[in-house]
Amino acid sequence: MTEFPLKEIMSSGGAEDDIPQGERKTVTDFCYLLDKSKQLFNGLRDLPQYGQKQWQSYFGRTFDVYTKLWKFQQQHRQVLDNRYGLKRWQIGEIASKIGQLYYHYYLRTSETSYLNEAFSFYSAIRQRSYYSQVSKEDRPELVVKKLRYYARFIVVCLLLNKMDVVKDLVKELSDEIEDYTHRFNTEDQVEWNLVLQEVAAFIEADPVMVLNDDNTIVITSNRLAEAGAPLLEQGMIVGQLTLADALIIGNCNNQVKFSELTVDMFRMLQALEREPMNLASQMTKPGMQESADKPARRENPHKYLLYKPTFSQLYTFLAASFKELPANSVLLIYLSATGVFPTGRSDSEGPYDFGGVLTNSNRDIINGDAIHKRNQTHKEMHCLHPGDLYPFTRKPLFIIVDSSNSVAYKNFTNLFGQPLVCLLSPTTYPKALQGMFCADIPSSNLNCFLYS
């Protein structure tokens, strides 16, 4: 329900009978839209995270209600101020929810233009100081809303390579956290300080700057620009196979990350995307240009971003991608994960005898970058072995293994004769690169090329 009972709100502005019927209806309609929007937004977490069709109609309804709510509060601001007691932080909360919708729609569709829409709403909150009065209220939960807004805004700016804005936001977030911990003796002080440390390390992990002739900084991007598409080599035919789906998996120990995005995942996901376009020229209604019956053609391959998934989670998403892979399409699996090595020698050399890469478990991590199975008579169960991927070679598959045990996939067998590529990272750093890109393990070996 809304934060204030309707009757109490109206009574606070004077006798209820003195309130014009039109204004009473305005407050009632606003409360209905606000409650409906919260109900739909909370329902988003119940949607399946995998699959490309089940969620679209629900997202469309949620966008529709939030669009109505946003326009309604703009058109009736004076009445809502006087009769409802609408506060600026409540307006900011609505805008923040819309920004979150656009960001999650980007995650679901891989359409980078939705990042621009999320940025627009988040930026408006900051420019209009919607959360500025929160610090004057003795309610720590409101301050946490503001801190979470900053964290989400930083993620969007990182994905859009707006590093100048990121640095300003980090400074503001640091000040807000300092004020928050000073005013309220809360238990989450350590967690918020960890957020600051993570984002600072994330920014430092991409230190390369390009300067123009006039010494101004140029922001580089790993995304594909319209004018930057490489030309086809002579004899190549367009359209034989298309990259349609990708699983980007990050499960390295001690790797720099922010939110649930490691540096490796961050770089690779951008390498699979085109630069954002102006969304206004592509759609007429937020969230409605793709219907459940006839989805629009996506310029970018659909992606799942999995941070430290368990084996069952990884296999579930992999099976969903495999099931929905269109004809003449390729599934890409990017594994940036700690190596799992076998102990002792095996009499056989099968797809489960060389170890693989780590999947998440609740066990303690042993030896930092390498996990060894404790019982030599059994295979490591919290591991993605090469043999685990064999069933999915029934369709075209592109596997990238970025791991200290990438050699486990060296003899990957093509059982079904479908197109198969296995790209493996080196297991040691070239001497020329040691100390340049790989200090303190900011990222894995293979994607160091994305610096250039």
Side-chain angles (χ1 to χ4, degrees):
M1 294 295 292
T2 51
E3 303 224 1
F4 305 100
L6 176 60
K7 187 173 181 179
E8 292 182 14
I9 295 168
M10 289 189 167
S11 297
S12 65
E16 189 174 351
D17 293 339
D18 295 338
I19 300 175
Q21 184 66 31
E23 293 185 2
R24 183 181 291 111
K25 185 177 185 305
T26 296
V27 176
T28 302
D29 291 347
F30 176 77
C31 290
Y32 169 79
L33 287 173
L34 188 61
D35 286 339
K36 187 66 175 177
S37 66
K38 291 179 179 178
Q39 176 187 350
L40 287 170
F41 190 89
N42 292 335
L44 292 174
R45 64 172 63 98
D46 298 325
L47 294 176
Q49 294 178 299
Y50 48 86
Q52 300 177 23
K53 294 181 180 179
Q54 302 94 324
W55 55 270
Q56 288 181 341
S57 60
Y58 191 94
F59 254 85
R61 292 199 304 274
T62 308
F63 265 119
D64 188 46
V65 170
Y66 268 97
T67 299
K68 291 178 180 177
L69 177 63
W70 184 253
K71 292 180 179 178
F72 192 89
Q73 63 85 21
Q74 288 179 317
Q75 295 168 354
H76 304 280
R77 180 72 58 81
Q78 185 174 356
V79 174
L80 294 173
D81 286 344
N82 296 333
R83 301 300 185 186
Y84 179 82
L86 185 66
K87 299 182 182 299
R88 290 190 64 77
W89 68 261
Q90 292 175 297
I91 302 172
E93 190 68 6
I94 297 172
S96 180
K97 287 289 196 299
I98 296 175
Q100 291 177 60
L101 278 175
Y102 276 117
Y103 174 68
H104 285 287
Y105 208 72
Y106 154 73
L107 293 179
R108 293 272 187 171
T109 63
S110 298
E111 174 51 71
T112 48
S113 298
Y114 291 108
L115 284 174
N116 282 337
E117 297 300 308
F119 177 84
S120 295
F121 275 90
Y122 285 148
S123 183
I125 293 172
R126 182 168 173 243
Q127 292 172 356
R128 299 173 188 177
S129 304
Y130 282 137
Y131 283 122
S132 63
Q133 301 300 314
V134 164
S135 58
K136 296 182 179 180
E137 301 197 28
D138 192 25
R139 296 175 60 185
E141 70 275 12
L142 294 185
V143 182
V144 170
K145 288 178 183 288
K146 185 176 184 178
L147 299 182
R148 288 175 177 169
Y149 150 73
Y150 269 107
R152 295 184 181 110
F153 194 7
I154 288 171
V155 171
V156 169
C157 290
L158 284 171
L159 289 169
L160 288 173
N161 295 304
K162 296 181 180 292
M163 300 308 296
D164 52 341
V165 181
V166 169
K167 292 176 181 178
D168 291 340
L169 292 174
V170 170
K171 176 62 170 63
E172 293 174 19
L173 177 59
S174 177
D175 294 340
E176 294 290 343
I177 291 175
E178 183 177 354
D179 179 70
Y180 170 65
T181 55
H182 178 73
R183 293 174 57 212
F184 305 102
N185 186 18
T186 60
E187 298 179 354
D188 57 353
Q189 177 178 351
V190 175
E191 286 81 357
W192 282 112
N193 286 328
L194 181 60
V195 169
L196 282 178
Q197 294 171 18
E198 284 186 352
V199 69
F202 201 97
I203 295 171
E204 188 177 355
D206 268 328
V208 176
M209 293 185 294
V210 179
L211 299 180
N212 267 334
D213 294 337
D214 57 357
N215 287 332
T216 57
I217 297 176
V218 178
I219 302 299
T220 60
S221 173
N222 295 322
R223 291 190 177 97
L224 181 64
E226 292 299 322
L231 298 176
L232 294 177
E233 296 181 9
Q234 187 174 2
M236 292 182 66
I237 302 175
V238 179
Q240 287 182 317
L241 287 174
T242 302
L243 179 60
D245 243 73
L247 269 74
I248 300 178
I249 299 155
N251 199 10
C252 284
N253 299 326
N254 306 321
Q255 189 176 86
V256 171
K257 64 100 178 174
F258 181 58
S259 186
E260 292 192 345
L261 199 63
T262 68
V263 171
D264 285 352
M265 297 169 68
F266 173 73
R267 293 173 183 161
M268 190 56 64
L269 75 88
Q270 292 188 74
L272 299 177
E273 294 177 345
R274 298 179 186 273
E275 286 291 350
M277 298 175 62
N278 182 9
L279 197 59
S281 63
Q282 301 180 29
M283 58 184 291
T284 57
K285 193 175 186 180
M288 299 299 289
Q289 89 287 3
E290 291 186 1
S291 67
D293 299 327
K294 188 177 181 181
R297 184 177 68 87
R298 289 189 299 265
E299 290 294 332
N300 299 319
H302 177 263
K303 299 184 297 297
Y304 290 119
L305 306 178
L306 303 180
Y307 174 68
K308 292 195 172 182
T310 63
F311 178 84
S312 60
Q313 289 171 331
L314 195 159
Y315 230 58
T316 299
F317 281 85
L318 188 54
S321 290
F322 180 84
K323 177 184 177 182
E324 297 188 350
L325 194 69
N328 301 318
S329 297
V330 178
L331 171 62
L332 183 145
I333 305 172
Y334 173 70
L335 298 167
S336 170
T338 296
V340 179
F341 298 89
T343 58
R345 290 190 175 184
S346 174
D347 295 334
S348 62
E349 293 186 351
Y352 290 88
D353 295 319
F354 298 98
V357 298
L358 177 69
T359 57
N360 196 15
S361 72
N362 294 324
R363 299 187 318 162
D364 293 334
I365 303 301
I366 303 173
N367 294 337
D369 191 47
I371 290 186
H372 300 273
K373 58 186 177 62
R374 297 177 181 178
N375 190 332
Q376 296 187 18
T377 62
H378 299 106
K379 309 301 181 186
E380 173 59 55
M381 63 183 297
H382 300 290
C383 169
L384 186 72
H385 298 269
D388 293 325
L389 297 178
Y390 280 8
F392 303 100
T393 59
R394 288 175 170 84
K395 293 183 179 180
L397 199 61
F398 195 124
I399 304 170
I400 303 175
V401 185
D402 203 350
S403 172
S404 55
N405 191 29
S406 60
V407 292
Y409 295 77
K410 183 172 63 174
N411 298 317
F412 200 93
T413 305
N414 188 347
L415 297 176
F416 303 102
Q418 292 293 313
L420 174 65
V421 174
C422 218
L423 182 61
L424 311 179
S425 70
T427 54
T428 58
Y429 295 108
K431 290 183 178 180
L433 295 181
Q434 288 181 359
M436 293 176 59
F437 300 139
C438 310
D440 300 323
I441 324 177
S443 66
S444 297
N445 300 2
L446 192 60
N447 70 33
C448 281
F449 78 92
L450 292 176
Y451 272 100
S452 60

